[in-house]
Amino acid sequence: MLIRKSGSTSIPSSEITPRSVYMDRRSFMAAGAAGVAALAAGRFAQVLRPESVHADTKLTTVSSPFSTQGLTPTSFYDITHYNNFYEFGTDKDDPARYAGSLRTRPWSISVEGLVKAKKKFDIDTLMKLQPLEDRVYRFRCVEAWSMVIPWIGYSLSEFIKQCDPLPSAKYVQFLSLDDPSQEPALNRVQLDWPYSEGLRMDEAMHPLTLLTFGLYGQVLPNQDGAPVRVVVPWKYGFKSAKSIVKVRFVQKQPSTTWNEMAPNEYGFYSNVNPNVDHPRWSQKVERVIGAPIWKQRQPTLMFNGYADQVASMYTGMDLRKYY
Ligand code: MTE
């Protein structure tokens, strides 16, 4: 994603070393060779025994009619070590390194805005609201890489029904945890916190939109947005807000983090679309993380391969204007 430095031009985070990362690296180096060796050993152990990360957090699931068939999931290691979670730093391995400080219990989601009555849902109640489904989805990041992720959750629509939104609610906004005592990069990374995302009501009610509690048979690892996030498989990954603490129903299109930061680069809709390039790179092709080298470059599919299910929501809309 892009970090805009005041008074200068926009620079993609993939092409620069932000000060935050530089500082993280300095402290990392200061830990010395022994620390590095220990870290390397720890990581090696994780590759060998990924299940040891959350040994006792298996979830009981049912299969889902909404799971995408015929896909080979990306490895657990890649899904948990190649992340974007800027509350913990801007490098892809920062979340795996630093998200251990996130406390996922007690946790609740407060519901406010255009609802019959404000409500608060405890995470453990929320996880029992519906049977948890296994849903394999394609996941496409705006930075032109992709994965296949075996998520666990249920349709967000089931949760929204419990929220009793008023008919005047046209959009729903998701707000992530914003606590510097748990999320060390909040004070260093220049974004308008808390991380905010939003969907039009029909998008939020679409059965493919997943309220997500786990992946690979277990609760979400912290770096993937524990204990609860949204996943919208036909949109670029940044629409899928992590570690959600607040859901707000509103009448007008809500302000969202990346759209506020660079509106010409990250639209509110952000449907995966190989025909509309990012201003600085093509969206026609994606790099499949962890795939064998001869399968790493794949053409990007319209709506990330979910056009049959979702295209009708955008009939008549100019997708170049509403990117
Ligand atoms: N949610 C929060 N709270 N903070 C973030 O930095 N990054 C977004 C999205 N949700 C982000 C977030 C981006 S840019 C992407 S691509 C996906 O999370 C990455 O999800 P993953 O790390 O599980 O692959």
Side-chain angles (χ1 to χ4, degrees):
M1 303 292 284
L2 172 146
I3 295 288
R4 193 181 291 278
K5 298 193 152 189
S6 55
S8 70
T9 51
S10 309
I11 310 166
S13 56
S14 53
E15 290 170 20
I16 56 163
T17 303
R19 180 174 157 73
S20 57
V21 177
Y22 165 70
M23 290 180 70
D24 286 346
R25 283 202 184 120
R26 276 178 46 158
S27 49
F28 176 70
M29 284 160 73
V36 172
L39 188 71
R43 283 184 165 193
F44 187 57
Q46 279 191 337
V47 180
L48 293 177
R49 291 180 286 105
E51 72 280 8
S52 67
V53 179
H54 285 276
D56 56 352
T57 49
K58 298 265 182 284
L59 293 172
T60 304
T61 57
V62 297
S63 65
S64 171
F66 299 108
S67 194
T68 315
Q69 302 301 310
L71 299 176
T72 306
T74 306
S75 73
F76 180 87
Y77 186 83
D78 281 338
I79 292 173
T80 55
H81 289 78
Y82 194 88
N83 297 102
N84 279 335
F85 200 169
Y86 278 22
E87 287 87 332
F88 296 98
T90 53
D91 272 1
K92 294 288 182 264
D93 59 353
D94 281 344
R97 227 189 274 170
Y98 301 115
S101 53
L102 179 66
R103 291 190 300 275
T104 58
R105 291 294 185 287
W107 191 282
S108 57
I109 296 187
S110 6
V111 177
E112 58 179 50
L114 300 170
V115 283
K116 280 200 186 120
K118 283 185 179 179
K119 286 185 184 171
K120 208 173 204 182
F121 291 85
D122 176 72
I123 184 68
D124 294 306
T125 311
L126 214 51
M127 288 177 78
K128 291 187 199 119
L129 209 62
Q130 287 289 314
L132 297 175
E133 300 172 22
D134 282 309
R135 292 216 196 162
V136 178
Y137 282 162
R138 295 186 193 88
F139 188 85
R140 170 64 155 80
C141 179
V142 74
E143 299 160 333
W145 52 265
S146 70
M147 295 190 186
V148 171
I149 306 186
W151 300 112
I152 294 170
Y154 53 76
S155 294
L156 177 70
S157 61
E158 301 294 344
F159 169 64
I160 290 183
K161 284 181 211 158
Q162 304 285 325
C163 298
D164 282 333
L166 299 173
S168 52
K170 302 295 179 226
Y171 295 87
V172 54
Q173 183 181 24
F174 307 96
L175 295 156
S176 299
L177 181 74
D178 175 20
D179 179 358
S181 77
Q182 299 180 55
E183 301 172 314
L186 279 176
N187 293 329
R188 298 191 306 259
V189 175
Q190 295 297 305
L191 277 178
D192 192 13
W193 305 111
Y195 194 91
S196 158
E197 256 312 330
L199 295 170
R200 218 171 53 188
M201 209 57 176
D202 58 337
E203 299 177 318
M205 293 301 286
H206 193 284
L208 283 180
T209 304
L210 192 68
L211 191 64
T212 310
F213 302 96
L215 58 81
Y216 259 118
Q218 63 177 54
V219 297
L220 283 171
N222 286 0
Q223 59 265 43
D224 288 277
V228 57
R229 70 180 292 177
V230 165
V231 172
V232 195
W234 70 95
K235 292 180 180 282
Y236 293 119
F238 69 88
K239 295 296 293 178
S240 298
K242 295 176 164 184
S243 304
I244 294 169
V245 292
K246 197 173 283 178
V247 169
R248 192 182 279 151
F249 292 91
V250 293
Q251 195 162 20
K252 296 209 172 94
Q253 186 177 299
S255 103
T256 55
T257 297
W258 285 105
N259 184 241
E260 282 280 304
M261 180 79 168
N264 60 325
E265 307 209 357
Y266 309 110
F268 176 80
Y269 282 91
S270 280
N271 294 316
V272 175
N273 188 342
N275 307 316
V276 178
D277 287 338
H278 184 276
R280 287 175 294 112
W281 60 82
S282 166
Q283 293 291 21
K284 287 190 175 44
V285 175
E286 63 205 52
R287 181 169 57 93
V288 185
I289 302 294
I293 200 133
W294 62 93
K295 283 192 188 163
Q296 253 169 36
R297 274 172 64 83
Q298 294 287 334
T300 285
L301 303 171
M302 189 65 203
F303 294 111
N304 204 23
Y306 298 96
D308 287 352
Q309 295 101 308
V310 304
S312 63
M313 285 192 290
Y314 309 101
T315 308
M317 277 176 73
D318 178 353
L319 297 181
R320 288 191 176 277
K321 185 171 171 203
Y322 298 101
Y323 54 93

